[in-house]
Amino acid sequence: MHLPRQLGSLHDLPDTPEAYDAVLADVTEQALARLTPEGSLEHPDCVDDIGDTSLGITSLLALAWQRGKDPRLPEAVARSTDFHLRERVYTDDNPGYPNLRLRDSGFPYARYTLAPGAHPIGDWPSTVWALLQAVDLLDLADGLLTDEQTDALREMSRGYWRWLTEATFFNPQEAGNQAIGCVVGGLMLARHLPPEEGEKVRSRAIALYVEEIRAHRVRDRGALLPPEHGGAWDNNYGPISLSFLAQAHRISGEEIFAEDGEAVARYLDARLTSGGFDCGGPRYSEQHSGFESVLGLRYFGHRIGADLGRYRGDTRWGRYAVKPDGGVDGHFAWMLVWQIQDTTPWHRTPSTEPVRHQLRSGGVSVAFDSKMTPSLVEADGTYFLPAAVNRQHGFGPVVDGFLLCRPMGETRVRDVRADGLTAKLVTKPVVTRDHVLRHVQSLYVTDGTRLWTTVAVERLPGEPYLLAGLPYVADDGDRLRRIADAEVASAGDLWLTHPAGEGPEFFDARADTTQELAAFALAADPRGYGNPDEGWSHLIASTAIEATPAPGAPDDLHVFAVRHGTSGEVFDPTFTRVSEGLRVRTESFTAVLGAPAGDEHGEPILTLRG
């Protein structure tokens, strides 16, 4: 089976003016064929997320007309604008809506579902989306709308803003993408209001960002991130938030949006594999966004000098939102408008600066979590997740069923490059189950094709082994194919084990399921609410690659050594105690790991040569 959503890298989609004109021409033909006598441009199968969709298509038609002056479009834009103003603006409170601060305000809002009382919780983001479609149309209205239509659209947008910021609690779903989108709506609306009122709206929008979003950022892997549905990062919504930060900076020029966007971009660059695969998030751990991510990835990738466009998006949504039949849906249409208007080029080469939470070279990458344990390993087009044993997740030595990867004290890191090799040495103090402090030194070395991992620790009792990953997916053209085995070599014995237990708490890589589905099966919240991906933390055991200690290590150490990636060469490393520390010699490099005490500042010492 294949993962359903992560397809091609988004920077592979053509983004020339001619390519975008072709996209708008496609939208135009679909829209003109769909336009109803009433003026609706909604997809006939649309039920949820409907309140902004016709207006979104209208904004795309307006952009197409501004670029190409197709004579068929002014009437369609006018009719569909009237349809939204007449049929999709609600001023009576939606029955059951729980987040009102002011009842019977009379302010307009957009509904997630048209039927009264049907899933009203979605009305807040739907109103944000409708506000964004409306301000885009206001930007593009010249020559298309009458003064009366423009005034009505402006008044409706002003009302949307007041409903979002006065009549309801701000950001009631604790969703960073929705909240930043609302801020962008206010910044864009402000330009269409009288100067004094516009400045008040602009100031209010920036204050909401500072006080309600920025002040509540969540720390992960050394970065502060907008919180998303109970988590720090979501693979669908995180890049969408990055696009909103890009638009906020484009519109306002405020450096706070650039600074925060660059911080999010560096975080994403560190966690993203070379091949663009990523996994984890509160709501959509494997469902990647498509065109909604392009603006942020392109804008901030260029600013920080990183190839963020390698991100594997859902290329079925590569240009615009679609329904199952492939027909265009106006949902999130503003993102297509903005990415067409923005001319920032893709930065296509990797950043060469060492990053604490990443090791990357060529087709090999290791993303590390906040505890400097690998969260995702990529080698030779194969991707490994942390394995699970006895409810403990990670990569590291296991002794008597206890995984030694959680630091008890400061974790030290040293990055080295030499002779075409890239290496990272991670030194962690850990505590065993019987309260003995030990120092685990993990060396990761890559030549861009293979990954060598060497783990040294003071000698352990019993029969320890190294938990070396859960083989999960592999590149298969533009798809990611689920796997249950992979090319791994070990200096000691090597096993691929599968959990003996049955049930959702045991993840067997041979089963026809995914990490996301397994996580949601164990979640406390329904899929789409709260943080269902927390369910993965309840996993008891998983498929795992296990390696025994390497023979020939110094008597006072257990040393584990594995190599991820295809290679015809024999893997027979040697380990020797030398005055500087532990010398590791493989078929491709020689490294010396300094003593865990490190230099005079306690920092690890690593030397490397090919």
Side-chain angles (χ1 to χ4, degrees):
M1 64 175 294
H2 291 93
L3 296 188
R5 297 273 179 181
Q6 295 198 43
L7 305 174
S9 294
L10 290 176
H11 64 197
D12 290 341
L13 293 168
D15 64 345
T16 62
E18 295 77 15
Y20 282 133
D21 284 337
V23 172
L24 292 174
D26 170 36
V27 172
T28 294
E29 296 308 321
Q30 290 193 53
L32 292 177
R34 179 186 300 170
L35 185 64
T36 67
E38 296 78 21
S40 173
L41 289 170
E42 293 162 355
H43 191 285
D45 294 337
C46 191
V47 176
D48 295 341
D49 266 323
I50 191 172
D52 68 297
T53 61
S54 181
L55 196 60
I57 299 292
T58 304
S59 70
L60 290 174
L61 296 182
L63 179 61
W65 185 81
Q66 296 292 356
R67 291 169 68 90
K69 296 298 188 287
D70 185 328
R72 300 173 296 170
L73 293 181
E75 180 186 358
V77 169
R79 284 173 56 194
S80 57
T81 300
D82 286 340
F83 167 80
H84 183 86
L85 292 167
R86 184 181 67 248
E87 303 289 345
R88 293 295 178 260
V89 178
Y90 296 84
T91 55
D92 295 334
D93 294 351
N94 198 352
Y97 186 70
N99 299 315
L100 290 176
R101 300 173 59 203
L102 180 64
R103 292 186 58 192
D104 300 319
S105 67
F107 296 147
Y109 66 95
R111 285 188 178 174
Y112 176 80
T113 299
L114 300 182
H119 203 79
I121 196 72
D123 289 355
W124 202 86
S126 287
T127 302
V128 173
W129 310 155
L131 171 61
L132 292 169
Q133 314 283 28
V135 291
D136 269 353
L137 186 54
L138 285 172
D139 283 351
L140 299 163
D142 186 35
L144 288 170
L145 299 182
T146 65
D147 290 344
E148 292 77 10
Q149 287 175 314
T150 301
D151 290 344
L153 195 64
R154 183 185 301 110
E155 189 60 29
M156 178 194 72
S157 301
R158 181 189 279 119
Y160 281 161
W161 174 254
R162 295 194 65 186
W163 188 84
L164 291 165
T165 60
E166 298 176 31
T168 71
F169 288 95
F170 184 78
N171 191 21
Q173 294 187 28
E174 297 181 349
N177 78 98
Q178 298 173 10
I180 305 173
C182 182
V183 167
V184 171
L187 294 173
M188 295 183 70
L189 171 64
R191 304 181 306 172
H192 294 279
L193 300 175
E196 184 175 350
E197 182 186 1
E199 183 52 39
K200 288 181 179 178
V201 170
R202 174 188 166 94
S203 297
R204 174 67 170 149
I206 294 173
L208 284 169
Y209 179 75
V210 172
E211 297 165 11
E212 300 293 338
I213 303 171
R214 197 169 199 263
H216 299 280
R217 288 177 298 171
V218 178
R219 184 176 295 278
D220 185 41
R221 311 183 198 197
L224 289 171
L225 309 168
E228 190 59 65
H229 289 286
W233 179 260
D234 183 276
N235 275 325
N236 181 279
Y237 292 130
I240 292 174
S241 287
L242 193 62
S243 288
F244 281 136
L245 288 169
Q247 181 68 359
H249 185 245
R250 291 181 67 234
I251 292 300
S252 71
E254 292 288 336
E255 278 304 302
I256 190 171
F257 299 119
E259 293 169 6
D260 291 357
E262 289 177 12
V264 173
R266 290 190 181 94
Y267 167 87
L268 174 57
D269 188 40
R271 69 173 290 149
L272 194 61
T273 59
S274 295
F277 171 62
D278 194 9
C279 189
R283 287 184 63 178
Y284 295 109
S285 53
E286 293 179 342
Q287 296 189 42
H288 278 35
S289 48
F291 76 102
E292 316 101 292
S293 305
V294 167
L295 175 66
L297 297 173
R298 195 172 64 192
Y299 190 83
F300 284 111
H302 185 79
R303 287 184 67 93
I304 69 170
D307 56 334
L308 297 185
R310 70 186 189 274
Y311 181 93
R312 294 179 95 121
D314 186 346
T315 50
R316 293 170 301 185
W317 278 42
R319 298 306 195 180
Y320 44 69
V322 298
K323 289 299 182 185
D325 66 357
V328 62
D329 181 8
H331 190 47
F332 273 49
W334 63 84
M335 288 294 193
L336 179 56
V337 172
W338 301 342
Q339 67 169 281
I340 292 175
Q341 292 172 334
D342 180 63
T343 58
T344 303
W346 284 111
H347 183 95
R348 296 181 179 276
T349 56
S351 171
T352 57
E353 293 297 318
V355 177
R356 179 179 175 87
H357 294 93
Q358 181 196 61
L359 174 73
R360 182 184 176 198
S361 176
V364 173
S365 58
V366 183
F368 296 87
D369 64 17
S370 292
K371 297 175 181 178
M372 288 306 297
T373 297
S375 61
L376 190 56
V377 171
E378 170 194 18
D380 195 30
T382 301
Y383 303 85
F384 302 81
L385 300 179
V389 57
N390 295 334
R391 300 183 187 275
Q392 304 157 93
H393 299 214
F395 289 73
V398 178
V399 55
D400 294 330
F402 191 73
L403 175 60
L404 301 178
C405 70
R406 294 170 296 280
M408 180 60 69
E410 191 66 25
T411 298
R412 309 297 184 107
V413 177
R414 173 63 58 93
D415 288 282
V416 172
R417 296 189 183 198
D419 301 330
L421 300 166
T422 305
K424 187 183 293 285
L425 176 61
V426 177
T427 302
K428 283 185 186 182
V430 300
V431 176
T432 64
R433 197 183 291 277
D434 55 356
H435 297 255
V436 176
L437 180 69
R438 297 181 184 272
H439 295 274
V440 176
Q441 289 186 295
S442 301
L443 172 66
Y444 306 89
V445 180
T446 180
D447 61 358
T449 302
R450 297 160 293 178
L451 173 70
W452 292 267
T453 303
T454 305
V455 179
V457 61
E458 294 98 333
R459 197 161 188 86
L460 298 165
E463 298 182 355
Y465 64 90
L466 181 73
L467 199 63
L470 158 64
Y472 185 58
V473 291
D475 291 334
D476 187 8
D478 283 343
R479 305 296 301 273
L480 286 165
R481 174 175 46 84
R482 282 278 286 108
I483 58 173
D485 200 352
E487 289 282 348
V488 180
S490 171
D493 292 330
L494 188 73
W495 295 287
L496 178 66
T497 67
H498 302 288
E502 295 183 358
E505 299 88 359
F506 302 91
F507 188 84
D508 191 325
R510 298 169 298 182
D512 189 16
T513 189
T514 66
Q515 182 273 344
E516 181 177 89
L517 294 178
F520 289 174
L522 294 169
D525 296 304
R527 179 171 180 164
Y529 298 89
N531 186 349
D533 202 47
E534 281 185 344
W536 186 253
S537 67
H538 301 308
L539 202 68
I540 294 175
S542 73
T543 293
I545 296 170
E546 300 175 359
T548 65
D555 291 341
D556 60 335
L557 293 177
H558 269 128
V559 179
F560 308 87
V562 295
R563 183 184 65 200
H564 293 77
T566 304
S567 174
E569 297 179 81
V570 173
F571 184 53
D572 188 22
T574 61
F575 311 96
T576 309
R577 179 78 72 185
V578 295
S579 59
E580 299 92 340
L582 177 68
R583 184 175 64 202
V584 179
R585 179 171 288 156
T586 75
E587 73 280 12
S588 296
F589 67 86
T590 298
V592 177
L593 286 62
D599 62 16
E600 64 272 20
H601 302 292
E603 296 301 324
I605 298 173
L606 171 65
T607 60
L608 176 70
R609 61 182 174 83

